Amino acid sequence: MSVPNDLDMKQLEDELHEPLSRLLVNPVSSGDTARLIRSLQPAFNELKQFREAERLTLRTAAVFHQPSVLRLLRSQLTSYSRMYWLTSLLVFFMLLLILPTGSNVSFHTVGNTFTFVLPALLLASLAYSFRSWNKELRMIESITPYPPAMLLILRTMIVICLNLLFGLAGSIYMNLKVSAFPMLPFMLHWLSLLLLMSGLTAYLMMWRGMKAAFAIAALLWFAWNGLMQRIVPIWEFSYNEYLSHLQTGALVAGLLLLALAYKRSFASRLLP
């Protein structure tokens, strides 16, 4: 292959001069850039409005679907069947029918009846609430946005609140039926054990599991009622301030245990 000489290079330049000259354009000025931006500005504005609307929709949806305790509580209330509510009401009405309402009725006797029946109804309700809460159901609930332990504690709270309402309604009923009925000492009488058992059960469920909590709560129910029905009348301090101090301490302890159980439910690992 021969090396091109100057004549060949000159001829090549002449041949390419005309095609290359047509490719040359004027440099882009700042005015051209400004005109291009102005022409594209409406499209930019529409895109910006669309993104803002999309961001607002996503934020609204996130707020609407944000997990909340109230929404979880409503869903758990609907999980109880009508038969459960009807049976609970039937037991409560039967309790009212057996209560003495004469003029010489002793609030200590009626209080012992409430102290015996309401915690027993609490234990029965807890057993009903968790009869089908097996390992498979726990695995399904573990993928929900709520901690599985919170589902457990809210079911317990539902049962506790139901029995508290029954006790309050019974207290109002006795106050209306019996003249000069000591309503506040009567409420302290049954409320102390009910809240203590509720708090102890809820806390032990977060710590030791359902079976241990149920067993210890049943033992407490048996021991407390034995104390009130056997030992207290013998000591004749049923109206003594020491008994009211004991009941007040049990009530405060129950509330404290309920608060600790609720706090623990956010990060607790459930036991069988």
Side-chain angles (χ1 to χ4, degrees):
M1 180 178 180
S2 62
V3 179
N5 53 29
D6 293 340
L7 182 60
D8 295 333
M9 293 294 295
K10 179 64 175 174
Q11 183 180 358
L12 181 62
E13 289 178 2
D14 293 339
E15 292 176 355
L16 295 177
H17 177 73
E18 184 178 355
L20 290 177
S21 63
R22 292 198 297 267
L23 295 177
L24 296 178
V25 295
N26 296 328
V28 179
S29 64
S30 58
D32 296 332
T33 304
R35 285 192 297 272
L36 178 61
I37 293 176
R38 283 196 300 269
S39 64
L40 295 176
Q41 192 62 47
F44 290 154
N45 293 336
E46 291 180 3
L47 182 60
K48 182 179 179 182
Q49 292 176 359
F50 175 77
R51 295 296 297 174
E52 290 178 353
E54 186 180 33
R55 191 180 299 112
L56 180 61
T57 302
L58 292 175
R59 189 182 301 115
T60 304
V63 172
F64 180 76
H65 295 290
Q66 185 178 8
S68 68
V69 175
L70 291 178
R71 189 175 295 114
L72 177 61
L73 181 61
R74 288 195 297 267
S75 67
Q76 292 302 306
L77 282 172
T78 58
S79 66
Y80 289 85
S81 64
R82 290 184 179 180
M83 186 58 63
Y84 169 77
W85 301 112
L86 291 176
T87 303
S88 299
L89 287 173
L90 180 61
V91 172
F92 174 67
F93 285 129
M94 291 176 62
L95 171 64
L96 296 183
L97 290 177
I98 65 174
L99 292 177
T101 56
S103 57
N104 58 346
V105 63
S106 170
F107 98 91
H108 180 72
T109 302
V110 181
N112 282 343
T113 304
F114 268 62
T115 305
F116 183 85
V117 174
L118 289 181
L121 183 59
L122 172 69
L123 293 175
S125 299
L126 288 175
Y128 174 84
S129 300
F130 306 111
R131 71 195 187 284
S132 61
W133 206 64
N134 52 28
K135 185 182 297 184
E136 290 76 15
L137 182 58
R138 286 167 56 177
M139 290 177 63
I140 294 174
E141 291 178 342
S142 65
I143 64 175
T144 63
Y146 306 96
M150 183 175 289
L151 300 174
L152 182 64
I153 200 66
L154 281 183
R155 291 177 184 178
T156 307
M157 294 295 184
I158 290 172
V159 172
I160 294 171
C161 290
L162 177 63
N163 286 273
L164 287 176
L165 288 176
F166 283 161
L168 181 60
S171 302
I172 296 174
Y173 171 80
M174 292 300 299
N175 189 49
L176 295 176
K177 287 290 185 177
V178 180
S179 58
F181 187 77
M183 185 173 178
L184 291 180
F186 171 72
M187 289 186 62
L188 180 63
H189 194 92
W190 61 263
L191 192 60
S192 55
L193 176 60
L194 185 62
L195 282 181
L196 180 60
M197 279 185 57
S198 301
L200 185 64
T201 304
Y203 186 76
L204 287 176
M205 275 194 292
M206 299 295 103
W207 183 38
R208 291 295 184 182
M210 180 63 193
K211 294 180 181 178
F214 192 88
I216 295 177
L219 182 62
L220 174 63
W221 170 73
F222 181 79
W224 185 281
N225 281 284
L227 176 68
M228 292 299 164
Q229 295 183 13
R230 299 288 181 179
I231 302 177
V232 170
I234 295 175
W235 288 352
E236 295 182 353
F237 79 3
S238 59
Y239 296 95
N240 197 291
E241 62 177 355
Y242 294 110
L243 180 58
S244 64
H245 290 338
L246 174 64
Q247 293 170 341
T248 303
L251 188 149
V252 173
L255 292 175
L256 180 60
L257 287 171
L258 282 173
L260 291 175
Y262 180 77
K263 182 179 179 181
R264 189 182 178 93
S265 68
F266 284 92
S268 178
R269 180 182 180 275
L270 295 179
L271 298 172

